Amino acid sequence: MKRLSLLLCGILISCISFSQKTYYTGRSLSVPQEYKDDHNKVNDGFCGTRMSDEMLNWLKAYKQSGAPANKQGPDSTLYYIPLKIHIVGTNDGGGYHKVSSILDGLCKLNEQYEQVGFHFYIEGEFDYINSDALYDHADYNVGSIINQHKTPNAANIYYVQNPAGNCGYFSPYRDYVAVAKSCAGSSNSTVAHELGHFFSLPHTFNGWEGRATTEAPQSDDELVARTNCSDHGDNFCDTPADFISDRWGCPYSNTKVDFAGTPYAVDGSLYMSYANDACQNKFSPEQIDAMRAYLLSNRSELLNHPMPILDTLGSATNIYPANGAIGVPANFVQLKWNKAVGATHYNLQVTRYFNGNFSNIDIVTTDTTLSPATTTAGACVPLTKATPAAATLLTATL
């Protein structure tokens, strides 16, 4: 006999929906050749982002404008940011990232950005894309596929197998984020890092991309004393000077000195550093101010949406098969569960072997009845604003 396991998770969705169309946000499609050339040099296995001159110039102008210093107290406004989720598979529809893993990752993302005052929600339907070329892309020449699926007024994230040899990257010229499935879990900070780029933040080691950590410091590098911090490095004076453009484990123990001979004291707790995920837990206050300013000045279209409804959700309980039931048909099982209070959608995970891996079926549905034998996990389902609730584990023996 086999054991059938179900994991039901109620999801709150707003009533707003959008048709499936092709959009482009209006940002320039002209990618400079020097960007293409330098971009390939940045690839280090973690982040393939190279910030555009336009974004770096905005940050320098913002820092030099005096706006951060003239703030009248903290801004406590909570901003709701729409995410358009693109789940990329092979040409034949295989390899999709698990819906449950995406939802877990987005819950973690909201914890990471709570300090920023950003709350992310899912906009529109999950967009399933069958494309070998995008699923496993060795370089960044995927713009035509990206633009066919982009949604306006949202941050577009593409979950793929291989984003050009990196864990992820943000493309400032085509304005999207690509993330490797293996780097998108709730224990990772890749999405938080790439969205930091999306909201104007460079790496803490800006200027050291493509340079070896053993290379001698140069006169135009940011100094540890922070005497040139406002227009060198990452342009922030509350993030210590950084030179490490490779992944590294905390605590920091390197003895390298800067151009003035002062030992570096790199902060691995910053999301925009290259410290291992377990080390990272914060953005600096100046980074937070810059992200919020960039949202209002350069990405205000993200706020042109009704605020999502965030109600408390009840739990889903099964009707059939009963929890612990035996003799359930092995080849065809119609699953039924009670509606959860406040939920409009459900993330259903099913496996015939209870080993903790809910990989047979992992979908979102609006119904409370499902026949797994006749339902594919690759169905597109409407998800506009989502808040996962606690999951209920149900088991039955076949």
Side-chain angles (χ1 to χ4, degrees), residues 373-394:
T374 59
T375 303
T376 63
C380 287
V381 293
L383 277 175
T384 51
K385 327 287 189 224
T387 302
T392 303
L393 178 65
L394 315 172

Side-chain angles (χ1 to χ4, degrees), residues 77-223:
T77 304
L78 177 61
Y79 295 109
Y80 292 90
I81 311 297
L83 299 179
K84 179 64 178 182
I85 303 300
H86 307 271
I87 306 176
V88 183
T90 59
N91 285 346
D92 59 3
Y96 296 136
H97 192 34
K98 293 181 181 179
V99 170
S100 56
S101 294
I102 292 174
L103 296 178
D104 288 343
L106 294 185
C107 287
K108 181 65 174 181
L109 181 68
N110 278 330
E111 293 177 8
Q112 293 166 327
Y113 271 79
E114 183 177 3
Q115 61 191 292
V116 182
F118 290 176
H119 184 97
F120 297 95
Y121 61 89
I122 300 171
E123 181 68 26
E125 302 176 351
F126 279 177
D127 178 27
Y128 286 84
I129 304 171
N130 296 342
S131 170
D132 285 346
L134 184 56
Y135 180 73
D136 186 352
H137 56 282
D139 54 39
Y140 302 91
N141 297 320
V142 291
S144 60
I145 305 173
I146 292 294
N147 290 333
Q148 291 173 21
H149 292 268
K150 280 178 59 179
T151 292
N153 305 333
N156 287 261
I157 301 181
Y158 295 76
Y159 291 89
V160 302
Q161 176 69 19
N162 172 29
N166 305 287
C167 259
Y169 66 85
F170 161 62
S171 173
Y173 288 97
R174 294 196 169 94
D175 205 39
Y176 70 93
V177 167
V179 179
K181 296 186 297 179
S182 60
C183 300
S186 59
S187 62
N188 299 98
S189 59
T190 303
V191 177
H193 178 100
E194 301 307 336
L195 285 175
H197 289 314
F198 180 84
F199 286 108
S200 82
L201 302 186
H203 292 129
T204 53
F205 52 87
N206 186 48
W208 279 88
E209 287 96 339
R211 296 166 60 186
T213 57
T214 56
E215 181 180 322
Q218 299 175 5
S219 59
D220 59 349
D221 291 332
E222 182 182 5
L223 296 173

Side-chain angles (χ1 to χ4, degrees), residues 224-305:
V224 173
R226 306 187 187 187
T227 53
N228 62 351
C229 58
S230 63
D231 57 0
H232 288 72
D234 64 355
N235 301 121
F236 297 112
C237 291
D238 62 351
T239 62
D242 189 351
F243 66 95
I244 311 178
S245 58
D246 297 315
R247 295 312 300 269
W248 58 279
C250 54
Y252 175 76
S253 60
N254 199 295
T255 58
K256 189 180 183 72
V257 298
D258 69 3
F259 189 77
T262 306
Y264 281 97
V266 180
D267 186 355
S269 68
L270 294 165
Y271 286 123
M272 302 312 295
S273 74
Y274 264 17
N276 289 337
D277 293 324
C279 307
Q280 301 177 356
N281 58 36
K282 72 180 182 183
F283 295 102
S284 76
E286 289 187 20
Q287 287 177 324
I288 291 173
D289 287 344
M291 283 193 284
R292 293 173 67 87
Y294 193 76
L295 169 66
L296 296 177
S297 65
N298 287 52
R299 295 199 181 277
S300 59
E301 73 276 3
L302 298 176
L303 304 178
N304 295 334
H305 300 267

Side-chain angles (χ1 to χ4, degrees), residues 10-78:
I11 300 174
L12 173 66
I13 311 295
S14 81
C15 296
I16 302 172
S17 62
F18 295 87
S19 60
Q20 293 182 330
K21 297 181 180 178
T22 299
Y23 297 95
Y24 184 63
T25 61
R27 289 182 169 83
S28 174
L29 274 174
S30 178
V31 183
Q33 184 60 45
E34 61 269 22
Y35 175 84
K36 296 178 181 178
D37 295 339
D38 290 346
H39 203 169
N40 291 327
K41 299 176 185 178
V42 173
N43 186 316
D44 50 40
F46 176 50
C47 173
T49 300
R50 180 183 183 273
M51 299 293 284
S52 67
D53 289 342
E54 179 184 1
M55 296 186 78
L56 292 174
N57 289 338
W58 176 90
L59 182 59
K60 288 182 179 180
Y62 163 74
K63 294 293 292 181
Q64 294 170 5
S65 68
N70 295 328
K71 282 183 56 181
Q72 301 297 315
D75 178 7
S76 60
T77 304
L78 177 61

